[in-house]
PDB file of all heavy atoms in Angstrom:
ATOM      1  N   THR A  96       1.700 -10.311  12.671  1.00  0.00           N
ATOM      2  CA  THR A  96       2.952 -10.696  13.311  1.00  0.00           C
ATOM      3  C   THR A  96       3.310  -9.671  14.375  1.00  0.00           C
ATOM      4  O   THR A  96       2.887  -8.513  14.325  1.00  0.00           O
ATOM      5  CB  THR A  96       4.115 -10.768  12.298  1.00  0.00           C
ATOM      6  OG1 THR A  96       4.348  -9.460  11.741  1.00  0.00           O
ATOM      7  CG2 THR A  96       3.781 -11.745  11.164  1.00  0.00           C
ATOM      8  N   GLU A  97       4.112 -10.094  15.346  1.00  0.00           N
ATOM      9  CA  GLU A  97       4.513  -9.190  16.429  1.00  0.00           C
ATOM     10  C   GLU A  97       5.333  -8.025  15.881  1.00  0.00           C
ATOM     11  O   GLU A  97       5.138  -6.870  16.281  1.00  0.00           O
ATOM     12  CB  GLU A  97       5.334  -9.964  17.458  1.00  0.00           C
ATOM     13  CG  GLU A  97       5.733  -9.122  18.666  1.00  0.00           C
ATOM     14  CD  GLU A  97       6.468  -9.937  19.719  1.00  0.00           C
ATOM     15  OE1 GLU A  97       6.412 -11.188  19.652  1.00  0.00           O
ATOM     16  OE2 GLU A  97       7.096  -9.323  20.594  1.00  0.00           O
ATOM     17  N   GLU A  98       6.242  -8.339  14.936  1.00  0.00           N
ATOM     18  CA  GLU A  98       7.056  -7.275  14.343  1.00  0.00           C
ATOM     19  C   GLU A  98       6.174  -6.294  13.568  1.00  0.00           C
ATOM     20  O   GLU A  98       6.397  -5.079  13.592  1.00  0.00           O
ATOM     21  CB  GLU A  98       8.111  -7.869  13.405  1.00  0.00           C
ATOM     22  CG  GLU A  98       9.141  -8.739  14.093  1.00  0.00           C
ATOM     23  CD  GLU A  98       8.672 -10.175  14.248  1.00  0.00           C
ATOM     24  OE1 GLU A  98       7.500 -10.468  13.891  1.00  0.00           O
ATOM     25  OE2 GLU A  98       9.471 -11.001  14.721  1.00  0.00           O
ATOM     26  N   GLY A  99       5.156  -6.849  12.873  1.00  0.00           N
ATOM     27  CA  GLY A  99       4.259  -5.998  12.101  1.00  0.00           C
ATOM     28  C   GLY A  99       3.435  -5.082  12.982  1.00  0.00           C
ATOM     29  O   GLY A  99       3.211  -3.912  12.644  1.00  0.00           O
ATOM     30  N   ILE A 100       2.986  -5.596  14.141  1.00  0.00           N
ATOM     31  CA  ILE A 100       2.221  -4.767  15.072  1.00  0.00           C
ATOM     32  C   ILE A 100       3.076  -3.623  15.596  1.00  0.00           C
ATOM     33  O   ILE A 100       2.642  -2.468  15.656  1.00  0.00           O
ATOM     34  CB  ILE A 100       1.682  -5.624  16.235  1.00  0.00           C
ATOM     35  CG1 ILE A 100       0.629  -6.616  15.728  1.00  0.00           C
ATOM     36  CG2 ILE A 100       1.089  -4.739  17.325  1.00  0.00           C
ATOM     37  CD1 ILE A 100       0.159  -7.595  16.772  1.00  0.00           C
ATOM     38  N   LEU A 101       4.322  -3.929  15.955  1.00  0.00           N
ATOM     39  CA  LEU A 101       5.228  -2.905  16.457  1.00  0.00           C
ATOM     40  C   LEU A 101       5.511  -1.853  15.389  1.00  0.00           C
ATOM     41  O   LEU A 101       5.517  -0.650  15.678  1.00  0.00           O
ATOM     42  CB  LEU A 101       6.540  -3.540  16.935  1.00  0.00           C
ATOM     43  CG  LEU A 101       6.443  -4.392  18.203  1.00  0.00           C
ATOM     44  CD1 LEU A 101       7.776  -5.063  18.493  1.00  0.00           C
ATOM     45  CD2 LEU A 101       6.024  -3.527  19.395  1.00  0.00           C
ATOM     46  N   PHE A 102       5.727  -2.321  14.152  1.00  0.00           N
ATOM     47  CA  PHE A 102       6.002  -1.362  13.085  1.00  0.00           C
ATOM     48  C   PHE A 102       4.771  -0.511  12.798  1.00  0.00           C
ATOM     49  O   PHE A 102       4.890   0.682  12.502  1.00  0.00           O
ATOM     50  CB  PHE A 102       6.437  -2.091  11.815  1.00  0.00           C
ATOM     51  CG  PHE A 102       7.063  -1.171  10.797  1.00  0.00           C
ATOM     52  CD1 PHE A 102       8.415  -0.919  10.821  1.00  0.00           C
ATOM     53  CD2 PHE A 102       6.287  -0.541   9.830  1.00  0.00           C
ATOM     54  CE1 PHE A 102       9.001  -0.044   9.918  1.00  0.00           C
ATOM     55  CE2 PHE A 102       6.851   0.331   8.916  1.00  0.00           C
ATOM     56  CZ  PHE A 102       8.229   0.578   8.962  1.00  0.00           C
ATOM     57  N   GLY A 103       3.585  -1.130  12.893  1.00  0.00           N
ATOM     58  CA  GLY A 103       2.364  -0.362  12.690  1.00  0.00           C
ATOM     59  C   GLY A 103       2.188   0.728  13.736  1.00  0.00           C
ATOM     60  O   GLY A 103       1.856   1.869  13.423  1.00  0.00           O
ATOM     61  N   LEU A 104       2.458   0.372  15.020  1.00  0.00           N
ATOM     62  CA  LEU A 104       2.270   1.333  16.111  1.00  0.00           C
ATOM     63  C   LEU A 104       3.294   2.458  16.063  1.00  0.00           C
ATOM     64  O   LEU A 104       2.964   3.617  16.316  1.00  0.00           O
ATOM     65  CB  LEU A 104       2.353   0.608  17.460  1.00  0.00           C
ATOM     66  CG  LEU A 104       1.178  -0.301  17.818  1.00  0.00           C
ATOM     67  CD1 LEU A 104       1.448  -1.032  19.119  1.00  0.00           C
ATOM     68  CD2 LEU A 104      -0.114   0.496  17.922  1.00  0.00           C
ATOM     69  N   PHE A 105       4.544   2.104  15.763  1.00  0.00           N
ATOM     70  CA  PHE A 105       5.613   3.103  15.825  1.00  0.00           C
ATOM     71  C   PHE A 105       6.029   3.617  14.444  1.00  0.00           C
ATOM     72  O   PHE A 105       6.883   4.498  14.360  1.00  0.00           O
ATOM     73  CB  PHE A 105       6.830   2.511  16.547  1.00  0.00           C
ATOM     74  CG  PHE A 105       6.555   2.161  17.966  1.00  0.00           C
ATOM     75  CD1 PHE A 105       6.346   0.842  18.345  1.00  0.00           C
ATOM     76  CD2 PHE A 105       6.462   3.148  18.942  1.00  0.00           C
ATOM     77  CE1 PHE A 105       6.080   0.512  19.664  1.00  0.00           C
ATOM     78  CE2 PHE A 105       6.200   2.829  20.266  1.00  0.00           C
ATOM     79  CZ  PHE A 105       5.999   1.512  20.627  1.00  0.00           C
ATOM     80  N   GLY A 106       5.422   3.065  13.392  1.00  0.00           N
ATOM     81  CA  GLY A 106       5.732   3.513  12.043  1.00  0.00           C
ATOM     82  C   GLY A 106       4.521   4.051  11.319  1.00  0.00           C
ATOM     83  O   GLY A 106       4.416   5.247  11.045  1.00  0.00           O
ATOM     84  N   ASN A 107       3.568   3.182  11.043  1.00  0.00           N
ATOM     85  CA  ASN A 107       2.416   3.575  10.233  1.00  0.00           C
ATOM     86  C   ASN A 107       1.485   4.551  10.948  1.00  0.00           C
ATOM     87  O   ASN A 107       1.000   5.503  10.327  1.00  0.00           O
ATOM     88  CB  ASN A 107       1.626   2.336   9.805  1.00  0.00           C
ATOM     89  CG  ASN A 107       2.443   1.378   8.962  1.00  0.00           C
ATOM     90  OD1 ASN A 107       2.699   0.254   9.371  1.00  0.00           O
ATOM     91  ND2 ASN A 107       2.878   1.826   7.792  1.00  0.00           N
ATOM     92  N   VAL A 108       1.225   4.319  12.233  1.00  0.00           N
ATOM     93  CA  VAL A 108       0.325   5.224  12.959  1.00  0.00           C
ATOM     94  C   VAL A 108       0.898   6.641  13.029  1.00  0.00           C
ATOM     95  O   VAL A 108       0.175   7.617  12.746  1.00  0.00           O
ATOM     96  CB  VAL A 108       0.008   4.671  14.364  1.00  0.00           C
ATOM     97  CG1 VAL A 108      -0.740   5.716  15.186  1.00  0.00           C
ATOM     98  CG2 VAL A 108      -0.825   3.394  14.257  1.00  0.00           C
ATOM     99  N   PRO A 109       2.188   6.823  13.378  1.00  0.00           N
ATOM    100  CA  PRO A 109       2.745   8.189  13.322  1.00  0.00           C
ATOM    101  C   PRO A 109       2.698   8.800  11.926  1.00  0.00           C
ATOM    102  O   PRO A 109       2.461  10.003  11.783  1.00  0.00           O
ATOM    103  CB  PRO A 109       4.197   7.987  13.784  1.00  0.00           C
ATOM    104  CG  PRO A 109       4.149   6.777  14.651  1.00  0.00           C
ATOM    105  CD  PRO A 109       3.137   5.887  14.001  1.00  0.00           C
ATOM    106  N   ILE A 110       2.930   7.983  10.896  1.00  0.00           N
ATOM    107  CA  ILE A 110       2.859   8.498   9.523  1.00  0.00           C
ATOM    108  C   ILE A 110       1.448   8.981   9.213  1.00  0.00           C
ATOM    109  O   ILE A 110       1.249  10.048   8.618  1.00  0.00           O
ATOM    110  CB  ILE A 110       3.302   7.417   8.511  1.00  0.00           C
ATOM    111  CG1 ILE A 110       4.800   7.153   8.639  1.00  0.00           C
ATOM    112  CG2 ILE A 110       2.962   7.839   7.079  1.00  0.00           C
ATOM    113  CD1 ILE A 110       5.295   6.009   7.782  1.00  0.00           C
ATOM    114  N   ILE A 111       0.443   8.201   9.613  1.00  0.00           N
ATOM    115  CA  ILE A 111      -0.952   8.589   9.398  1.00  0.00           C
ATOM    116  C   ILE A 111      -1.244   9.921  10.084  1.00  0.00           C
ATOM    117  O   ILE A 111      -1.875  10.821   9.508  1.00  0.00           O
ATOM    118  CB  ILE A 111      -1.903   7.490   9.916  1.00  0.00           C
ATOM    119  CG1 ILE A 111      -1.824   6.255   9.013  1.00  0.00           C
ATOM    120  CG2 ILE A 111      -3.352   8.000   9.985  1.00  0.00           C
ATOM    121  CD1 ILE A 111      -2.553   5.052   9.553  1.00  0.00           C
ATOM    122  N   MET A 112      -0.779  10.066  11.311  1.00  0.00           N
ATOM    123  CA  MET A 112      -1.016  11.311  12.050  1.00  0.00           C
ATOM    124  C   MET A 112      -0.334  12.499  11.369  1.00  0.00           C
ATOM    125  O   MET A 112      -0.915  13.575  11.241  1.00  0.00           O
ATOM    126  CB  MET A 112      -0.515  11.154  13.487  1.00  0.00           C
ATOM    127  CG  MET A 112      -1.287  10.138  14.301  1.00  0.00           C
ATOM    128  SD  MET A 112      -0.631   9.893  15.970  1.00  0.00           S
ATOM    129  CE  MET A 112      -0.942  11.503  16.675  1.00  0.00           C
ATOM    130  N   LEU A 113       0.895  12.292  10.892  1.00  0.00           N
ATOM    131  CA  LEU A 113       1.612  13.375  10.225  1.00  0.00           C
ATOM    132  C   LEU A 113       0.942  13.747   8.902  1.00  0.00           C
ATOM    133  O   LEU A 113       0.889  14.933   8.543  1.00  0.00           O
ATOM    134  CB  LEU A 113       3.062  12.959   9.971  1.00  0.00           C
ATOM    135  CG  LEU A 113       3.975  12.950  11.201  1.00  0.00           C
ATOM    136  CD1 LEU A 113       5.344  12.385  10.832  1.00  0.00           C
ATOM    137  CD2 LEU A 113       4.128  14.352  11.779  1.00  0.00           C
ATOM    138  N   LEU A 114       0.429  12.763   8.191  1.00  0.00           N
ATOM    139  CA  LEU A 114      -0.264  13.047   6.929  1.00  0.00           C
ATOM    140  C   LEU A 114      -1.548  13.846   7.187  1.00  0.00           C
ATOM    141  O   LEU A 114      -1.864  14.778   6.440  1.00  0.00           O
ATOM    142  CB  LEU A 114      -0.577  11.749   6.192  1.00  0.00           C
ATOM    143  CG  LEU A 114       0.624  11.022   5.584  1.00  0.00           C
ATOM    144  CD1 LEU A 114       0.230   9.636   5.090  1.00  0.00           C
ATOM    145  CD2 LEU A 114       1.244  11.832   4.448  1.00  0.00           C
ATOM    146  N   LEU A 115      -2.284  13.489   8.232  1.00  0.00           N
ATOM    147  CA  LEU A 115      -3.490  14.241   8.580  1.00  0.00           C
ATOM    148  C   LEU A 115      -3.150  15.672   8.964  1.00  0.00           C
ATOM    149  O   LEU A 115      -3.835  16.620   8.573  1.00  0.00           O
ATOM    150  CB  LEU A 115      -4.221  13.543   9.729  1.00  0.00           C
ATOM    151  CG  LEU A 115      -4.901  12.202   9.393  1.00  0.00           C
ATOM    152  CD1 LEU A 115      -5.416  11.536  10.663  1.00  0.00           C
ATOM    153  CD2 LEU A 115      -6.041  12.410   8.405  1.00  0.00           C
ATOM    154  N   MET A 116      -2.072  15.824   9.726  1.00  0.00           N
ATOM    155  CA  MET A 116      -1.633  17.160  10.115  1.00  0.00           C
ATOM    156  C   MET A 116      -1.200  17.969   8.889  1.00  0.00           C
ATOM    157  O   MET A 116      -1.480  19.171   8.794  1.00  0.00           O
ATOM    158  CB  MET A 116      -0.474  17.059  11.111  1.00  0.00           C
ATOM    159  CG  MET A 116      -0.875  16.516  12.474  1.00  0.00           C
ATOM    160  SD  MET A 116       0.556  16.132  13.535  1.00  0.00           S
ATOM    161  CE  MET A 116       1.248  17.760  13.718  1.00  0.00           C
ATOM    162  N   ALA A 117      -0.528  17.311   7.954  1.00  0.00           N
ATOM    163  CA  ALA A 117      -0.073  18.003   6.743  1.00  0.00           C
ATOM    164  C   ALA A 117      -1.256  18.487   5.913  1.00  0.00           C
ATOM    165  O   ALA A 117      -1.252  19.623   5.408  1.00  0.00           O
ATOM    166  CB  ALA A 117       0.809  17.069   5.912  1.00  0.00           C
ATOM    167  N   MET A 118      -2.282  17.655   5.796  1.00  0.00           N
ATOM    168  CA  MET A 118      -3.449  18.064   5.012  1.00  0.00           C
ATOM    169  C   MET A 118      -4.200  19.204   5.686  1.00  0.00           C
ATOM    170  O   MET A 118      -4.693  20.119   5.015  1.00  0.00           O
ATOM    171  CB  MET A 118      -4.374  16.847   4.788  1.00  0.00           C
ATOM    172  CG  MET A 118      -3.786  15.824   3.822  1.00  0.00           C
ATOM    173  SD  MET A 118      -4.943  14.513   3.355  1.00  0.00           S
ATOM    174  CE  MET A 118      -5.020  13.575   4.871  1.00  0.00           C
ATOM    175  N   ALA A 119      -4.274  19.171   7.020  1.00  0.00           N
ATOM    176  CA  ALA A 119      -4.925  20.266   7.749  1.00  0.00           C
ATOM    177  C   ALA A 119      -4.122  21.563   7.591  1.00  0.00           C
ATOM    178  O   ALA A 119      -4.694  22.646   7.401  1.00  0.00           O
ATOM    179  CB  ALA A 119      -5.060  19.905   9.221  1.00  0.00           C
ATOM    180  N   GLU A 120      -2.798  21.456   7.646  1.00  0.00           N
ATOM    181  CA  GLU A 120      -1.942  22.628   7.484  1.00  0.00           C
ATOM    182  C   GLU A 120      -2.045  23.186   6.070  1.00  0.00           C
ATOM    183  O   GLU A 120      -2.017  24.411   5.868  1.00  0.00           O
ATOM    184  CB  GLU A 120      -0.490  22.246   7.805  1.00  0.00           C
ATOM    185  CG  GLU A 120       0.469  23.423   7.848  1.00  0.00           C
ATOM    186  CD  GLU A 120       0.147  24.411   8.940  1.00  0.00           C
ATOM    187  OE1 GLU A 120      -0.400  24.011   9.989  1.00  0.00           O
ATOM    188  OE2 GLU A 120       0.437  25.623   8.737  1.00  0.00           O
ATOM    189  N   ASN A 121      -2.169  22.301   5.084  1.00  0.00           N
ATOM    190  CA  ASN A 121      -2.327  22.759   3.704  1.00  0.00           C
ATOM    191  C   ASN A 121      -3.619  23.549   3.517  1.00  0.00           C
ATOM    192  O   ASN A 121      -3.671  24.502   2.746  1.00  0.00           O
ATOM    193  CB  ASN A 121      -2.304  21.555   2.748  1.00  0.00           C
ATOM    194  CG  ASN A 121      -0.926  20.940   2.635  1.00  0.00           C
ATOM    195  OD1 ASN A 121       0.053  21.512   3.098  1.00  0.00           O
ATOM    196  ND2 ASN A 121      -0.845  19.764   2.026  1.00  0.00           N
ATOM    197  N   GLN A 122      -4.664  23.135   4.213  1.00  0.00           N
ATOM    198  CA  GLN A 122      -5.934  23.863   4.150  1.00  0.00           C
ATOM    199  C   GLN A 122      -5.776  25.285   4.703  1.00  0.00           C
ATOM    200  O   GLN A 122      -6.274  26.256   4.119  1.00  0.00           O
ATOM    201  CB  GLN A 122      -7.008  23.097   4.938  1.00  0.00           C
ATOM    202  CG  GLN A 122      -8.391  23.704   4.895  1.00  0.00           C
ATOM    203  CD  GLN A 122      -9.113  23.453   3.582  1.00  0.00           C
ATOM    204  OE1 GLN A 122      -8.598  22.759   2.712  1.00  0.00           O
ATOM    205  NE2 GLN A 122     -10.297  24.032   3.434  1.00  0.00           N
ATOM    206  N   LYS A 123      -5.046  25.404   5.818  1.00  0.00           N
ATOM    207  CA  LYS A 123      -4.801  26.724   6.405  1.00  0.00           C
ATOM    208  C   LYS A 123      -3.938  27.582   5.477  1.00  0.00           C
ATOM    209  O   LYS A 123      -4.172  28.784   5.322  1.00  0.00           O
ATOM    210  CB  LYS A 123      -4.117  26.576   7.763  1.00  0.00           C
ATOM    211  CG  LYS A 123      -4.970  25.911   8.828  1.00  0.00           C
ATOM    212  CD  LYS A 123      -4.203  25.780  10.132  1.00  0.00           C
ATOM    213  CE  LYS A 123      -5.019  25.076  11.201  1.00  0.00           C
ATOM    214  NZ  LYS A 123      -4.238  24.905  12.459  1.00  0.00           N
ATOM    215  N   LEU A 124      -2.937  26.949   4.859  1.00  0.00           N
ATOM    216  CA  LEU A 124      -2.041  27.669   3.956  1.00  0.00           C
ATOM    217  C   LEU A 124      -2.799  28.198   2.748  1.00  0.00           C
ATOM    218  O   LEU A 124      -2.570  29.333   2.297  1.00  0.00           O
ATOM    219  CB  LEU A 124      -0.913  26.732   3.520  1.00  0.00           C
ATOM    220  CG  LEU A 124       0.286  27.348   2.796  1.00  0.00           C
ATOM    221  CD1 LEU A 124       1.007  28.330   3.708  1.00  0.00           C
ATOM    222  CD2 LEU A 124       1.242  26.251   2.330  1.00  0.00           C
ATOM    223  N   LEU A 125      -3.713  27.385   2.225  1.00  0.00           N
ATOM    224  CA  LEU A 125      -4.519  27.821   1.084  1.00  0.00           C
ATOM    225  C   LEU A 125      -5.417  28.994   1.479  1.00  0.00           C
ATOM    226  O   LEU A 125      -5.512  29.987   0.744  1.00  0.00           O
ATOM    227  CB  LEU A 125      -5.376  26.657   0.582  1.00  0.00           C
ATOM    228  CG  LEU A 125      -6.368  26.995  -0.531  1.00  0.00           C
ATOM    229  CD1 LEU A 125      -5.627  27.282  -1.838  1.00  0.00           C
ATOM    230  CD2 LEU A 125      -7.377  25.875  -0.735  1.00  0.00           C
TER     231      LEU A 125
END
Side-chain angles (χ1 to χ4, degrees):
T96 63
E97 183 176 345
E98 296 86 356
I100 293 174
L101 291 175
F102 194 89
L104 288 175
F105 297 103
N107 299 116
V108 171
I110 291 174
I111 290 171
M112 294 177 65
L113 285 174
L114 289 170
L115 290 172
M116 291 170 64
M118 289 188 288
E120 188 63 30
N121 289 349
Q122 183 76 4
K123 294 179 182 178
L124 192 63
L125 175 70

